[in-house]
Amino acid sequence: MNCHICESTKVKKLTTNLYKCEDCKTLQRSSPYEYYEEVKNLYNSTYYTQNYKNRYGKEIYEDIENVRKISNRRLDIIENLYLREGECNNCGTSNCSGCYVRNFVSSLKGKSLLDIGCGIGIFIEVAKYRGYQVKGIDINKDTLHIVPNNIRDNIFIIDINKFESKERFDIITLWYVIEHLPNPEDVIRKVWKMLKYGGILGISTPNGDGASARFKPDWYYSVIPQDHLFEFSPYSMSHLLSKNKFKVLKVVNTGYHPERIFKNPISRKIFEIYQTYIGLGDTFEIYASKKI
């Protein structure tokens, strides 16, 4: 098989229906669409309850404040990237969707934000509190009973491939979503069309070439969630975005877990310093803008 992301022929089989591209380092399934049909029933009433606890060791309700903290950090990054573009040299306005630069002092209050795969809606709840006009979509109808009341009407249960909107958004996000999709490049292209020029795309995803994958590969490959169709590297995700007319602005390495590599406290601390220095987490965030 060829790599589904970079089309390289250097694809190595790791386990049953898990392969790694030796060029772009993406982990992937052999037939993503067929595999997706087998696993999509996992997105049910237990996905954010028992499955969440099995994966993260805690109930979703115990993790909400942490998710709010992460959401604020991500919005800080997005706002800094959005505002740094400077003033439009062509029309001089701060709300032009035909130019990819805007007024440096422009406020982001009232800007439109779409969160794809919004889950229980904490990110859009935080964004709404900060003044954004928010919408979220998710495939799992069983999340709605957990969603905060003040944003429940802003969430639509629909597959991203079936979602259509005449609205063009200032910001679109996919937090731990793209690894679940059988057609990541198609979704990236669709997002490009839904963004205004100069709009910001934010993605977080596991790092298939991260610390655990490099230093504990047998263990890592054995615990990859069943519903992950792809696990990108920062390089392969940057390649995918650049190929589809996005400009990559920032990569943030996250998910530092030295305890997965070393049990000895001293070795663990040394490795943590090494990890931080070279920027090698088990997950990463990538931010890009839509350019003309």
Side-chain angles (χ1 to χ4, degrees):
M1 61 177 274
N2 290 0
C3 174
H4 297 298
I5 303 305
C6 73
E7 300 181 354
S8 170
T9 58
K10 297 179 182 178
V11 178
K12 177 183 177 182
K13 186 173 183 178
L14 302 173
T15 64
T16 303
N17 202 13
L18 182 65
Y19 298 78
K20 183 171 187 175
C21 174
E22 296 185 343
D23 281 341
C24 75
K25 311 302 182 185
T26 302
L27 305 180
Q28 54 204 277
R29 309 295 180 174
S30 59
S31 302
Y33 284 96
E34 292 178 15
Y35 187 83
Y36 179 72
E37 289 300 317
E38 295 175 12
V39 301
K40 67 180 182 180
N41 63 332
L42 294 174
Y43 307 121
N44 54 32
S45 59
T46 67
Y47 191 78
Y48 280 98
T49 52
Q50 190 58 48
N51 287 359
Y52 191 95
K53 186 173 183 179
N54 292 343
R55 190 170 295 182
Y56 300 107
K58 63 178 83 172
E59 301 277 357
I60 183 64
Y61 302 102
E62 301 176 77
D63 211 22
I64 285 178
E65 284 309 310
N66 183 51
V67 175
R68 286 197 178 105
K69 182 179 178 181
I70 293 170
S71 298
N72 274 303
R73 176 184 60 77
R74 289 170 175 166
L75 284 166
D76 287 343
I77 292 172
I78 288 169
E79 290 175 4
N80 286 332
L81 292 173
Y82 193 97
L83 293 174
R84 105 174 17 168
E85 297 292 318
E87 187 175 1
C88 173
N89 293 321
N90 294 324
C91 68
T93 63
S94 62
N95 61 353
C96 174
S97 64
C99 304
Y100 58 83
V101 286
R102 78 282 294 162
N103 193 311
F104 182 78
V105 297
S106 172
S107 170
L108 269 68
K109 284 189 176 181
K111 297 297 185 184
S112 56
L113 183 151
L114 173 67
D115 188 24
I116 297 171
C118 63
I120 64 170
I122 300 304
F123 178 74
I124 63 171
E125 178 196 40
V126 172
K128 183 176 181 179
Y129 179 80
R130 289 173 66 144
Y132 291 89
Q133 298 296 317
V134 299
K135 286 184 181 177
I137 63 172
D138 201 279
I139 196 172
N140 189 352
K141 68 180 186 304
D142 293 304
T143 64
L144 288 178
H145 72 285
I146 310 175
V147 168
N149 291 333
N150 64 326
I151 49 102
R152 193 164 293 172
D153 290 341
N154 299 92
I155 293 178
F156 305 90
I157 302 302
I158 188 170
D159 190 305
I160 177 56
N161 295 297
K162 297 178 181 177
F163 179 73
E164 299 293 339
S165 175
K166 293 181 179 179
E167 182 178 2
R168 294 296 174 261
F169 298 90
D170 295 294
I171 298 160
I172 297 180
T173 55
L174 298 94
W175 307 125
Y176 295 112
V177 172
I178 202 152
E179 65 271 15
H180 299 271
L181 303 176
N183 56 338
E185 184 162 16
D186 291 343
V187 171
I188 292 296
R189 289 170 179 162
K190 185 165 190 171
V191 166
W192 193 91
K193 292 178 181 178
M194 292 194 296
L195 267 177
K196 295 178 182 178
Y197 284 103
I200 301 293
L201 167 63
I203 293 173
S204 64
T205 192
N207 188 349
D209 191 39
S212 294
R214 291 188 188 186
F215 295 97
K216 291 283 186 178
D218 292 341
W219 171 81
Y220 187 76
Y221 301 149
S222 72
V223 298
I224 289 178
Q226 187 181 359
D227 53 329
H228 286 194
L229 282 70
F230 292 89
E231 288 203 358
F232 297 88
S233 67
Y235 170 79
S236 65
M237 181 54 69
S238 297
H239 167 78
L240 188 63
L241 291 170
S242 298
K243 177 184 173 184
N244 289 285
K245 300 187 286 187
F246 280 95
K247 179 183 178 181
V248 175
L249 302 174
K250 188 179 185 69
V251 177
V252 179
N253 288 283
T254 55
Y256 293 104
H257 297 286
E259 74 281 358
R260 294 177 178 176
I261 313 301
F262 292 103
K263 301 303 179 185
N264 179 280
I266 297 175
S267 299
R268 187 188 307 166
K269 187 62 180 178
I270 293 171
F271 188 76
E272 182 179 11
I273 295 169
Y274 166 76
Q275 259 192 300
T276 306
Y277 178 73
I278 67 169
L280 187 64
D282 281 346
T283 55
F284 66 95
E285 297 168 3
I286 190 164
Y287 300 85
S289 63
K290 175 178 175 175
K291 296 295 187 181
I292 294 177

